Amino acid sequence: EAKTTGKNRASQFQPEMASSFKRRTELENEMREGLGSGQFEVHYQPIVEIASRRVVALEALLRWNHPAKGRISPAEFIPIAERSDLISDLGEWVLRSAAADIVRLPSEVSVSINVSPMQFRQPGRLVAAIRSIIEDRHVPAERLELELTESVLVDDTEQTLATMAELRALGVRFSLDDFGTGYASIGYLATYSFDKVKIDRSFASVILENDASRSIVELVQHLAERIGFTVVAEGLESQVQVEAIAATGICLAQGYFFGRPEPIGPLAKRLAVSTVISED
Ligand code: C2E
Ligand code: MG
Ligand code: MG
Ligand code: MG
């Protein structure tokens, strides 16, 4: 798994390669520094309507270009930030970056931002940060989507529901990220209301391999039609995966097949010409 090189190495980081105590301590200190000195960057990956190839949203994905250690994967540094007080600073930096970038995009393209469970545990601060980019920076709230992971939902249901209601009142939308991998049960789809549910990318490959996995994906799409949310299939890398997902009735997808995360500049330029992804 680890014998990849260059550009792709960062994305190959696996949680079980948990960094050593020494590296974690270094990264934590250097993150603080890096945030103030332009080492972080937001890349955006398209979320596409499968049938039309039209880009409906972009997911903001944080990148850290460490001056000595090179590109460090968010799968490594986000958990470190979550164990310190840095995650809210990082999260707010992403929000402000996205607020600046969203004005460069066609109005039919939303921006989707990952929110850490730790940010949800400081609801006052989170709501203030989001209110600020909507009210002070005039970001249209309906073009802002917040991606929550299942771990937020198992925390403190009452508090989470209250925070979501407060944010919803501002006009933002919610996606449930990485569905099907965590602790959350299907019951959470009834307790919380999500605009989108993103099926974890581990399903992209197994759906081709066994009927049970395909049935689970079909069940989620069926629930979506009944309950009223939209399913996004994550991590699609090939045409056959796209076809298998489309056959379940799922309309939205994200993955290397449609486009990798990239800086806003070139992406905004292409989207200004057309929001339809070209075939090559
Ligand atoms: P995520 O939110 O589930 O984001 C999707 C991840 O899957 C991204 O990894 C993306 O580059 C990767 N991906 C997309 N399509 C494909 C594909 O076709 N194949 C494969 N193998 N991977 C694909 P990335 O950018 O490394 O981010 C990893 C995780 O780090 C994210 O998972 C998210 O949980 C977290 N993260 C990233 N940016 C932020 C942020 O600003 N705030 C917070 N709290 N978490 C973030
Ligand atoms: Mg996400
Ligand atoms: Mg995801
Ligand atoms: Mg994830």
mmCIF file of all heavy atoms in Angstrom, residues 59 114 147 177 198 234, ligand 2:
data_model
loop_
_atom_site.group_PDB
_atom_site.id
_atom_site.type_symbol
_atom_site.label_atom_id
_atom_site.label_comp_id
_atom_site.label_asym_id
_atom_site.label_seq_id
_atom_site.Cartn_x
_atom_site.Cartn_y
_atom_site.Cartn_z
ATOM 1 N N GLU A 59 -16.490 20.030 -2.980
ATOM 2 C CA GLU A 59 -16.111 19.794 -1.584
ATOM 3 C C GLU A 59 -14.765 20.442 -1.313
ATOM 4 O O GLU A 59 -13.792 20.214 -2.045
ATOM 5 C CB GLU A 59 -16.029 18.294 -1.263
ATOM 6 C CG GLU A 59 -15.607 18.084 0.202
ATOM 7 C CD GLU A 59 -15.644 16.634 0.687
ATOM 8 O OE1 GLU A 59 -15.900 15.724 -0.108
ATOM 9 O OE2 GLU A 59 -15.407 16.442 1.909
ATOM 10 N N ASN A 114 -16.225 20.324 5.343
ATOM 11 C CA ASN A 114 -16.187 19.333 6.421
ATOM 12 C C ASN A 114 -16.112 20.024 7.780
ATOM 13 O O ASN A 114 -15.284 20.907 7.982
ATOM 14 C CB ASN A 114 -14.955 18.431 6.250
ATOM 15 C CG ASN A 114 -15.065 17.575 5.012
ATOM 16 O OD1 ASN A 114 -15.813 16.612 4.972
ATOM 17 N ND2 ASN A 114 -14.331 17.952 3.966
ATOM 18 N N GLU A 147 -20.594 19.264 5.971
ATOM 19 C CA GLU A 147 -20.503 17.803 6.022
ATOM 20 C C GLU A 147 -20.191 17.361 7.446
ATOM 21 O O GLU A 147 -19.178 17.751 8.013
ATOM 22 C CB GLU A 147 -19.404 17.306 5.063
ATOM 23 C CG GLU A 147 -19.742 17.584 3.617
ATOM 24 C CD GLU A 147 -18.867 16.798 2.627
ATOM 25 O OE1 GLU A 147 -18.069 15.947 3.059
ATOM 26 O OE2 GLU A 147 -19.013 17.059 1.420
ATOM 27 N N ASP A 177 -21.555 12.621 6.059
ATOM 28 C CA ASP A 177 -20.365 12.153 5.339
ATOM 29 C C ASP A 177 -20.039 10.706 5.683
ATOM 30 O O ASP A 177 -20.339 10.239 6.782
ATOM 31 C CB ASP A 177 -19.183 13.047 5.737
ATOM 32 C CG ASP A 177 -18.082 13.096 4.687
ATOM 33 O OD1 ASP A 177 -18.193 12.405 3.669
ATOM 34 O OD2 ASP A 177 -17.116 13.846 4.906
ATOM 35 N N LYS A 198 -23.788 11.027 2.032
ATOM 36 C CA LYS A 198 -22.680 10.592 1.177
ATOM 37 C C LYS A 198 -22.282 9.177 1.572
ATOM 38 O O LYS A 198 -21.856 8.925 2.696
ATOM 39 C CB LYS A 198 -21.494 11.558 1.328
ATOM 40 C CG LYS A 198 -21.879 13.010 0.997
ATOM 41 C CD LYS A 198 -20.703 13.958 1.112
ATOM 42 C CE LYS A 198 -19.794 13.824 -0.092
ATOM 43 N NZ LYS A 198 -18.712 14.861 -0.049
ATOM 44 N N GLU A 234 -19.535 8.388 -3.036
ATOM 45 C CA GLU A 234 -18.175 8.921 -2.927
ATOM 46 C C GLU A 234 -17.150 7.960 -3.511
ATOM 47 O O GLU A 234 -17.335 6.745 -3.484
ATOM 48 C CB GLU A 234 -17.782 9.097 -1.449
ATOM 49 C CG GLU A 234 -18.490 10.168 -0.691
ATOM 50 C CD GLU A 234 -17.768 10.441 0.633
ATOM 51 O OE1 GLU A 234 -18.019 9.724 1.619
ATOM 52 O OE2 GLU A 234 -16.951 11.370 0.671
HETATM 53 MG MG MG B 2 -16.277 15.163 3.375
#
